[in-house]
Amino acid sequence: MELSLSTSLASPAVLRRQASPLLHNQQVLGVSFASALKPGGALRFGSRRRPLHRPITCSASPSTAEPSSEVKKKTLVRRNDVRNIAIVAHVDHGKTTLVDSMLRQAKVFRDNQVMQERIMDSNDLERERGITILSKNTSITYKNTKVNIIDTPGHSDFGGEVERVLNMVDGVLLVVDSVEGPMPQTRFVLKKALEFGHAVVVVVNKIDRPSARPEFVVNSTFELFIELNATDEQCDFQAIYASGIKGKAGLNPDDLAEDLGPLFEAIIRCVPGPNIEKDGALQMLATNIEYDEHKGRIAIGRLHAGALRKGMDVRVCTSEDSCRFARVSELFVYEKFYRVPADTVEAGDICAVCGIDDIQIGETIADKAHGKPLPTIKVEEPTVKMSFSVNTSPFSGREGKYVTSRNLRDRLNRELERNLAMKVEDGETADTFIISGRGTLHITILIENMRREGYEFMVGPPKVINKRVNDKLLEPYEVATVEVPENHMGPVVELLGKRRGQMFDMQGVGSEGTVFLRYKIPTRGLLGLRNAILTASRGTAILNTVFDSYGPWAGDISTRDLGSLVAFEDGTSTSYALASAQERGQMFVGAGVDVYKGQIVGIHQRPGDLGLNICKKKAATNIRSNKDVTVVLDTPLTYSLDDCIEYIEEDELVEVTPLSIRMCKNPKMAKKGR
């Protein structure tokens, strides 16, 4: 079969868009758009195998940040011995597992070295939750080319991590699940990469899944490129099919190589080397900050111009007017899985700099005499806020090491140095702080880290950050994607409808009998939705969300129908009292637990709160009439920190200590529902 279209009738861009399904069918078979669409004017199909003599040409549009004058163009040179890439994807599409296989096959570790799974997830919290929270650097060497790899988080709440590391790279590996296809966070990270003008290599991962549909996934990804106004060069992406867990990759989904060789080749061929000003004045943007007990603050970033040497005097700039001088005490580059000391680093490489104690993310390390600052890093605004306050419960100070407002303020200010997407403001009182972040999970991870460090404090319910434009109240909206089995779809649709969600897409997926629902829903409607949607679908639904835009106020939303059971005196809970209390609802506490007045000890089975005495002891006055009866207590509900934050209402607080998580009524607010 041969199809010819004349270029006199339509531009290559139009041809590429009109023929996208055909082109993608061919790329699934291993042919790139660049090899199918000739500049001579004919579009040819039919070759089921990629010709060996003609390598796939990959290109990327130049970033808008690059200098355009002829003088500057002459001084810029391309480094071919280095590649800087970030691995971006939606959550659970297999980024960190793919990096594992890349490190193993690049012989980063000894053959007899025992390594854990998901090596890059080094943080305890990351390993427990099975997610990536912080972006991390590593590097491999392939055919005398150093490849700096940055592993990034997949949750939309940690989108700030992705946004700032894109300054350091020249290309991205966009990892897409072979069944799910592009998801909300895929769209977010791809949009940011295209704005920077980066080259994109699409990796269709988990190709060994039984219901894999690579053709659909590649076509959907191509449509997403067009939707995000990608240039013709960016739409001409290379697709690689891989199984990260097996360490295999190939240009054809049915014909994978025994290793990740095709993926490494695609990185070297399709991602350009860094464009540098070799003889220019030193410029390096601090994109990440780490802390070491011996070396102090370590600034990590890519050298944009000039060369950096150990012991060099530099200028640290925030803007043209505010600059200060410092000296580089130590210099490191990333080699394999470790930081290795270096005496000199040339432009284009990613390095770590020690000796500048007060450096912040977004500042420029520049030449002492002629240095000029680079543009600072911009990240999206936060959409959710929560209040942190000093613990005022009767149990305060029992378990925590840091309990005062001064400790709390210092720790929150320290978090701001590293976490660009977060904001801290003073609250209504001296011991209250308002923390703003990208989502509930973003702030919950901070709370969990703080309690593990020995902090004790109280947290209010999450609230959305509204805007007022032209006297109209606007609130944040998010795109929610729900994957649910068909037989549980009804209750899920009903639940999302109650929370002001508007469905705009529904499609069946493969042979697994699941349905994809896409909703535009106010962020307020998502607060407390995770547990409710799991209950409605019997634990089978998967919910993913990503910020969309600000829209008109959607009206009142009821997030919780039932009230709380509240203890009305201090003491220790008894099985005698709990036996009658559990008839009123589900309990959070068992027998023999210390409680205090105002503590939430269960969920009421009706709307409105109910005060209970769960410390009541059995009277031992009349022995014969008080014969012991075997009491059977229900197993109390165990709520995690995330569950507690989802559960609490406007007049309730979560008490967070290193050993316990309790909920209580806010004593400053009037009691409701009594």
Side-chain angles (χ1 to χ4, degrees), residues 120-133:
M120 297 296 282
D121 287 348
S122 51
N123 189 325
D124 287 343
L125 211 49
E126 291 179 321
R127 301 201 65 76
E128 283 172 27
R129 290 174 177 249
I131 59 173
T132 304
I133 296 169

Side-chain angles (χ1 to χ4, degrees), residues 289-299 329-330 339 353-359:
I289 296 286
E290 286 185 10
Y291 185 81
D292 185 277
E293 287 184 4
H294 303 291
K295 299 179 178 66
R297 289 168 78 83
I298 302 172
S329 62
E330 286 189 79
R339 274 201 299 258
V353 178
C354 305
I356 308 171
D357 294 332
D358 55 351
I359 190 153

Side-chain angles (χ1 to χ4, degrees), residues 10 14 52 83 96 129-130 141 173 307 323 335 409-410 424 445 491 527 544 601 619 639:
V14 174
L52 297 173
R83 298 288 186 276
T96 308
R129 290 174 177 249
T141 303
L173 291 190
C323 291
E335 275 188 22
R409 178 183 277 108
D410 291 348
V424 177
I445 294 295
L527 302 176
N544 292 296
V601 292
Y639 265 19

Side-chain angles (χ1 to χ4, degrees), residues 17-29:
R17 282 162 170 74
Q18 288 173 346
S20 64
L22 284 167
L23 287 169
H24 272 286
N25 290 343
Q26 285 306 102
Q27 191 176 22
V28 168
L29 300 169

Side-chain angles (χ1 to χ4, degrees), residues 18-72:
Q18 288 173 346
S20 64
L22 284 167
L23 287 169
H24 272 286
N25 290 343
Q26 285 306 102
Q27 191 176 22
V28 168
L29 300 169
V31 178
S32 158
F33 310 145
S35 58
L37 185 60
K38 297 288 179 298
L43 194 63
R44 299 185 182 278
F45 303 98
S47 166
R48 290 185 65 82
R49 189 170 294 177
R50 185 175 135 262
L52 297 173
H53 62 276
R54 191 194 309 132
I56 294 171
T57 54
C58 308
S59 52
S61 72
S63 169
T64 51
E66 286 184 9
S68 55
S69 68
E70 290 298 320
V71 180
K72 285 197 174 181

Side-chain angles (χ1 to χ4, degrees), residues 478-494:
E478 303 199 18
V479 172
T481 308
V482 185
E483 184 184 346
V484 63
E486 209 165 345
N487 52 338
H488 295 307
M489 192 174 80
V492 170
V493 170
E494 184 186 354

Side-chain angles (χ1 to χ4, degrees), residues 314-381:
V314 293
R315 179 187 294 188
V316 182
C317 305
T318 45
S319 64
E320 291 282 355
D321 303 325
S322 60
C323 291
R324 59 191 185 280
F325 296 102
R327 173 171 287 187
V328 176
S329 62
E330 286 189 79
L331 201 54
F332 297 90
V333 292
Y334 287 88
E335 275 188 22
K336 297 186 176 178
F337 198 57
Y338 308 100
R339 274 201 299 258
V340 179
D343 292 325
T344 307
V345 177
E346 291 187 0
D349 208 349
I350 292 173
C351 63
V353 178
C354 305
I356 308 171
D357 294 332
D358 55 351
I359 190 153
Q360 305 286 345
I361 290 175
E363 291 186 331
T364 304
I365 298 172
D367 185 74
K368 188 177 180 182
H370 310 290
K372 290 185 179 178
L374 289 161
T376 55
I377 301 169
K378 292 184 176 68
V379 296
E380 305 248 334
E381 291 293 308

